[in-house]
Amino acid sequence: MSAPTDARGSTFLACESGCPGRIDANEVRYRCPSCAGLLEVRRDLGPLAQIAAGEWRQLFDGRGPTRMGWDASGVWSKREWVLPEATAGEAVSLGEGFSPLVPVPRLAREIGVGELWVKECGVAHTGSFKDLGMSVLVTQVVRLRKAGVPVRAVACASTGDTSAALAAYGAAAGLPVVVLLPKSKVSTAQLVQPLAHGALVLALQTDFDGCMRLVQQLSEDPAIYLANSMNPWRLEGQKTVAVEIVQQLGWEAPDWIALPGGNLGNTGAIGMGLALVEKLAGVPRHTKLLVGQVESANPFFRSFGAGFRVRPTVVAGDTAATAIRIGAPVSYGRAIRALERCGGIVTSASEDAIADAAALADGLGQYLCPQTAAALEGVRQAAAAGRIGSKDRVVLVATAHGLKFTEAKVRYHEGTLAGADSRRANAPVEVEASLAAVRRALKERERR
Ligand SMILES: *Cc1c(COP(=O)(O)O)cnc(C)c1O
Ligand SMILES: [Zn+2]
């Protein structure tokens, strides 16, 4: 089957809170001109719905990692649902998506759920799920420039995964990238990816919120394109992870998708992806969402506790899960809509609990980042409380590779990680260089 070309040219921007009016997809805009709320990318699903659900599944199953070119990308293999106007030559791809969906039966038993899979979004070019969204955003910038929109540079405020992904995709496309970071709150590991990709990295004497304010002011100049997650093009790429999960399960939706939530863009994106799978691929809706937060940064958990009637913000405190250390989520509205549509729960975990969840999973062969551990801890809490059933099928979205968070793991196993009591710590054993000493150490381990 060939792509439905009649669906081309139908993409536009609109207010996500429902203010009337369409904004041309080639306008550089991040907020609704009427209510100043966020925008979303929309397209008329009519032409797409003309194609039978079975044909969509066949089309997507016929693409994949064994193919060449953009068919091999998890994002661009779903291009009719993502950005039908883009051509193969415009798409900026670094092999994003088609990450493994790994069954973890021993971890499922430990946690007390029926089946558990880890969706390895950290097995990606820059090591996090941010690649999925940046591929689409940077492609859109390439298209804007081709259409004569004078974008000089792409900018973001970030201390971690967003800047790594933007810098890589920007470099691949030949676009200048500017990254604003809070000085002295950034580790070498967080700095090195954007530096390696040649981005202009500005270390500012302020905190993350200060950087965020400045980058928004900077991007009032339409020539400086804003790549933070208020930009709706990123969600278009990120939503494919939900499609891919269902596809990898043989076009059957899981009972739960669990993920960590910070700015909450990914929660909104997964809700969008599930809605498309239901509407266009004919997969009955029943997946609920579990959003895991940490105690030091849990505004969404508080909102959930109040039935989403309020949207509190908090001053985010220290946590090992630095990528979700966010007190005022940008995508609150998107995430609430996803939770209300799918159903689900929001959890909040202590530093000790997320460190323990990561150590439990790592001991069974995983290598979870602290953010993913917060979601796993949420699943453990929900299973213990009977909210996730003992027969339920659960997919845990691993948002980054554990190797990006080596410091937290080192500290845990040294017993120096703040707030964690390191019950599962595994320190190296120093022994004298003799066969007898090595054998003694082995015996001792076996006795444990
Ligand atoms: C960005 C990020 C998150 C948070 O995603 P949001 O869309 O901001 O909720 C979680 N984990 C990792 C590793 C991230 O990089
Ligand atoms: Zn509006």
Side-chain angles (χ1 to χ4, degrees):
M1 176 200 138
S2 62
T5 43
D6 52 343
R8 283 169 182 244
S10 64
T11 304
F12 59 96
L13 297 168
C15 172
E16 63 160 27
S17 312
C19 295
R22 293 179 170 207
I23 298 166
D24 190 287
N26 280 359
E27 260 196 60
V28 177
R29 245 182 213 285
Y30 318 102
R31 292 198 173 271
C32 169
S34 312
C35 74
L38 297 182
L39 300 177
E40 62 183 13
V41 177
R42 267 199 230 150
R43 65 186 52 88
D44 180 10
L45 289 187
L48 299 181
Q50 298 283 304
I51 291 154
E55 279 185 56
W56 279 122
R57 299 181 194 185
Q58 239 184 341
L59 177 68
F60 291 164
D61 286 344
R63 299 169 179 167
T66 60
R67 304 284 150 163
M68 296 291 284
W70 64 346
D71 281 352
S73 155
V75 169
W76 298 104
S77 63
K78 314 283 187 298
R79 52 192 172 265
E80 292 85 357
W81 297 8
V82 172
L83 186 54
E85 293 86 351
T87 64
E90 290 164 347
V92 183
S93 174
L94 291 170
E96 56 290 326
F98 285 127
S99 55
L101 183 71
V102 180
V104 284
R106 294 181 64 207
L107 187 56
R109 270 198 296 283
E110 288 282 340
I111 301 279
V113 300
E115 285 177 89
L116 184 63
W117 290 265
V118 178
K119 177 61 173 162
E120 301 277 10
C121 293
V123 180
H125 180 61
T126 74
S128 86
F129 78 84
K130 300 290 199 293
D131 288 8
L132 302 172
M134 281 308 172
S135 178
V136 177
L137 180 140
V138 170
T139 297
Q140 177 60 12
V141 174
V142 167
R143 290 174 45 76
L144 288 173
R145 302 228 300 185
K146 229 170 115 179
V149 181
V151 176
R152 272 182 15 241
V154 189
C156 76
S158 159
T159 59
D161 298 331
T162 298
S163 54
L166 176 62
Y169 280 84
L175 288 172
V177 168
V178 184
V179 173
L180 273 63
L181 301 172
K183 194 181 169 194
S184 75
K185 295 191 179 68
V186 182
S187 72
T188 317
Q190 290 166 324
L191 262 177
V192 73
Q193 283 176 294
L195 287 176
H197 295 307
L200 172 61
V201 178
L202 301 174
L204 306 179
Q205 205 75 56
T206 178
D207 60 3
F208 173 76
D209 294 313
C211 292
M212 193 62 229
R213 267 192 303 278
L214 273 170
V215 81
Q216 289 192 53
Q217 288 166 9
L218 188 68
S219 60
E220 277 167 21
D221 173 357
I224 312 292
Y225 193 78
L226 179 66
N228 279 97
S229 68
M230 63 191 354
N231 187 317
W233 293 103
R234 280 180 49 191
L235 304 193
E236 293 302 292
Q238 287 172 213
K239 75 187 180 190
T240 62
V241 73
V243 183
E244 201 170 284
I245 286 169
V246 175
Q247 181 184 20
Q248 284 171 312
L249 291 173
W251 297 105
E252 261 186 52
D255 297 310
W256 291 87
I257 292 179
L259 74 158
N263 246 333
L264 301 175
N266 212 26
T267 303
I270 285 177
M272 288 160 54
L274 287 172
L276 280 179
V277 160
E278 182 196 354
K279 232 176 256 162
L280 298 177
V283 177
R285 181 208 315 186
H286 73 274
T287 305
K288 293 193 269 301
L289 301 179
L290 182 145
V291 180
Q293 293 207 302
V294 288
E295 281 173 2
S296 57
N298 63 2
F300 196 45
F301 171 73
R302 295 176 196 213
S303 177
F304 171 69
F308 293 132
R309 282 182 305 274
V310 289
R311 298 181 185 190
T313 59
V314 303
V315 177
D318 269 340
T319 172
T322 48
I324 53 173
R325 186 189 166 163
I326 292 168
V330 166
S331 293
Y332 236 129
R334 293 164 173 161
I336 290 175
R337 271 196 298 285
L339 263 283
E340 287 183 339
R341 189 167 193 289
C342 299
I345 51 181
V346 184
T347 59
S348 177
S350 69
E351 291 302 299
D352 184 46
I354 68 169
D356 187 68
L360 167 68
D362 290 2
L364 297 173
Q366 288 300 300
Y367 201 65
L368 298 191
C369 77
Q371 295 72 218
T372 305
L376 177 62
E377 173 57 21
V379 173
R380 180 158 69 175
Q381 286 176 15
R387 300 177 88 167
I388 294 183
S390 60
K391 298 236 156 56
D392 282 359
R393 306 166 85 227
V394 182
V395 172
L396 173 69
V397 177
T399 47
H401 202 295
L403 285 170
K404 281 195 142 189
F405 294 84
T406 300
E407 280 167 35
K409 289 203 189 283
V410 169
R411 285 206 207 100
Y412 179 86
H413 289 287
E414 283 173 355
T416 58
L417 183 65
D421 82 0
S422 294
R423 278 179 303 280
R424 301 176 201 266
N426 184 27
V429 183
E430 282 187 29
V431 292
E432 152 204 324
S434 76
L435 186 59
V438 171
R439 282 190 168 139
R440 243 190 337 269
L442 266 169
K443 276 234 172 68
E444 213 150 284
R445 173 56 70 100
E446 279 165 356
R447 247 184 268 125
R448 237 172 52 179

